[in-house]
Amino acid sequence: MDLLNTLLDKGLRRELPTRDEALAVLATSDDELLDVVAAAGKVRRQWFGRRVKLNYLVNLKSGLCPEDCSYCSQRLGSKAEILKYTWLKPDQASEAAAAGLAGGAKRVCLVASGRGPTDRDVDRVSDTIKAIKDQNEGVEVCACLGLLSDGQAERLRDAGADAYNHNLNTSESTYGDITTTHTYADRVDTVQKAHAAGLSACSGLIAGMGESDEDLVDVVYALRALDPDSVPVNFLIPFEGTPLAKEWNLTPQRCLRILAMVRFVCPDVEVRIAGGREVHLRTMQPLALHLANSIFLGDYLTSEGQAGKADLDMIADAGFEVEGTGEVTLPEHRATAHAGCGSHAGGGCGPCGSADREPPRKEPVSEARTDLVSVRRRGAGTDLAPNA
């Protein structure tokens, strides 16, 4: 179809699609789905070959967050029965990270609940980064600690952090419906602080919160403008005890179309399938590897993922290979750019909002698969072995 030929050509040239083209990807039919995956897959292979980067999450501090993000099981007022614990000690965090690295991960993502770190928290995380790097040569470390104050990104960089994650999550026009304790602009500011400090910026979205196609395109275009090196695509896990517990709006086909749209808009960026892939992609996960070049290995922050061995088998069976520690993730034109943070390709586009919105288009979901939502009870913060 002409749309896919156009998008393929633009993706190979790192040229930004039009908003109408991005929306058209989300509107394709199930009969066209394999054609969509094939076209986006060619773009993915152009810039990343058949490599799959493995990332491993370590939840440094779980639960008891003062923010009211509706999607989050750790939010203020959450009744989700998740693990709750205060800061892991550096040696505990390093031990947890070692399990993921032994399983094939090359990046460790250190995450802590909360609005943002205090200076003491930055010191604590800095000690943890040093402990992990001292014991694991070549490991990448990404910190995700919430909103950053001036100077904190620089301190994390000096401690050895390679990247900082802070997701935009949804469009600017709908952000206030999801969170009221901070703003969309606060999130943009933190991504910009990380970028300015020379950290590799990591910022993504959450799909499945009842948003429209326009909202999804808005947030992905806003991400393109921020120029992160990696874009995690999360699919909402509707935890019981959170305001979005009844939002089961995704099908495997919908998830694949979203990933394809992200790949076309961000062709040369590390696109990561993040939380919720097991819940919503289910048996279609291998197809998603043709669109994304990065996944999390094992469990997530408060939910369990599929077995780490199953992740590795899936990658191999689908004809892909795990990216080695010595391999550079990003294409050369991004990896060699200033401070390793990539370069703006093909002209960015600012956040595009529209006052006149169509109602969210929800695809038919046969049944809410609540049986696939499993609260994490192992790994960091417990006495049980992690899943890696």
Side-chain angles (χ1 to χ4, degrees):
M1 54 193 298
D2 290 343
L3 168 68
L4 296 180
N5 289 333
T6 298
L7 288 168
L8 171 58
D9 185 55
K10 288 185 174 182
L12 297 180
R13 291 186 284 118
R14 295 185 286 128
E15 182 180 335
L16 185 70
T18 67
R19 281 182 53 81
D20 285 346
E21 288 166 347
L23 286 167
V25 174
L26 298 178
T28 52
S29 69
D30 287 351
D31 288 342
E32 299 165 317
L33 182 60
L34 288 181
D35 294 328
V36 173
V37 172
K42 289 180 181 178
V43 177
R44 178 249 201 266
R45 289 192 298 278
Q46 164 74 15
W47 302 114
F48 298 96
R50 288 190 166 270
R51 293 173 287 116
V52 178
K53 182 176 181 177
L54 298 182
N55 309 269
Y56 192 70
L57 284 165
V58 177
N59 197 356
L60 296 177
K61 180 168 72 79
S62 183
L64 308 174
C65 183
E67 303 299 287
D68 69 352
C69 307
S70 299
Y71 52 81
C72 186
S73 59
Q74 304 184 76
R75 72 185 298 271
L76 178 70
S78 171
K79 293 180 172 56
E81 296 181 355
I82 61 168
L83 290 171
K84 297 181 178 67
Y85 53 86
T86 190
W87 290 93
L88 298 181
K89 293 181 173 59
D91 61 329
Q92 294 173 312
S94 181
E95 182 180 352
L101 296 171
K106 65 181 291 184
R107 171 174 284 193
V108 174
C109 303
L110 301 176
V111 187
S113 61
R115 179 178 178 84
T118 64
D119 287 340
R120 181 184 177 192
D121 293 336
V122 172
D123 289 340
R124 195 189 325 256
V125 175
S126 296
D127 290 342
T128 298
I129 293 169
K130 291 172 183 174
I132 292 172
K133 292 219 161 190
D134 285 348
Q135 297 172 30
N136 300 279
E137 184 177 357
V139 64
E140 297 176 13
V141 176
C142 178
C144 177
L145 311 173
L147 302 173
L148 292 175
S149 300
D150 290 344
Q152 291 183 329
E154 287 79 3
R155 291 175 59 198
L156 290 168
R157 178 203 62 205
D158 293 345
D162 300 283
Y164 195 84
N165 166 262
H166 199 62
N167 296 329
L168 297 188
N169 289 329
T170 192
S171 68
E172 182 174 15
S173 62
T174 59
Y175 196 83
D177 297 332
I178 298 298
T179 305
T180 66
T181 48
H182 60 267
T183 67
Y184 179 91
D186 290 333
R187 287 188 170 267
V188 170
D189 178 67
T190 285
V191 178
Q192 291 173 334
K193 278 185 169 70
H195 228 324
L199 292 169
S200 176
C202 173
S203 188
L205 65 141
I206 303 173
M209 297 191 290
E211 69 282 337
S212 66
D213 286 1
E214 288 80 3
D215 290 320
L216 286 170
V217 170
D218 283 353
V219 68
V220 176
Y221 272 64
L223 288 166
R224 164 93 181 217
L226 282 173
D227 194 34
D229 287 329
S230 56
V231 174
V233 180
N234 296 276
F235 301 108
L236 176 71
I237 302 177
F239 273 96
E240 288 296 330
T242 64
L244 299 184
K246 306 303 179 187
E247 292 287 343
W248 289 87
N249 304 316
L250 298 171
T251 64
Q253 294 81 9
R254 172 75 166 167
C255 293
L256 290 171
R257 279 189 282 269
I258 291 168
L259 287 167
M261 185 269 288
V262 174
R263 175 55 72 197
F264 285 130
V265 177
C266 303
D268 59 341
V269 168
E270 176 190 341
V271 176
R272 184 179 311 145
I273 320 171
R277 66 178 164 93
E278 298 90 343
V279 176
H280 296 294
L281 279 162
R282 302 191 287 274
T283 58
M284 302 284 268
Q285 289 181 70
L287 268 184
L289 295 177
H290 291 271
L291 308 170
N293 62 295
S294 179
I295 66 171
F296 281 113
L297 177 73
D299 293 334
Y300 303 97
L301 297 177
T302 61
S303 65
E304 294 186 352
Q306 69 185 20
K309 176 66 163 54
D311 287 336
L312 298 177
D313 288 345
M314 176 181 71
I315 291 168
D317 290 348
F320 293 88
E321 60 188 24
V322 173
E323 185 174 286
T325 303
E327 295 181 281
V328 177
T329 300
L330 296 172
E332 185 177 2
H333 64 273
R334 292 190 67 93
T336 58
H338 176 66
C341 291
S343 58
H344 290 281
C349 173
C352 303
S354 173
D356 298 318
R357 299 267 173 168
E358 294 293 327
R361 180 173 71 91
K362 296 187 180 182
E363 300 191 4
V365 182
S366 58
E367 182 183 358
R369 291 298 306 273
T370 56
D371 59 303
L372 295 177
V373 180
S374 180
V375 173
R376 181 172 69 84
R377 301 294 184 201
R378 60 195 176 195
T382 78
D383 294 327
L384 300 177
N387 172 27

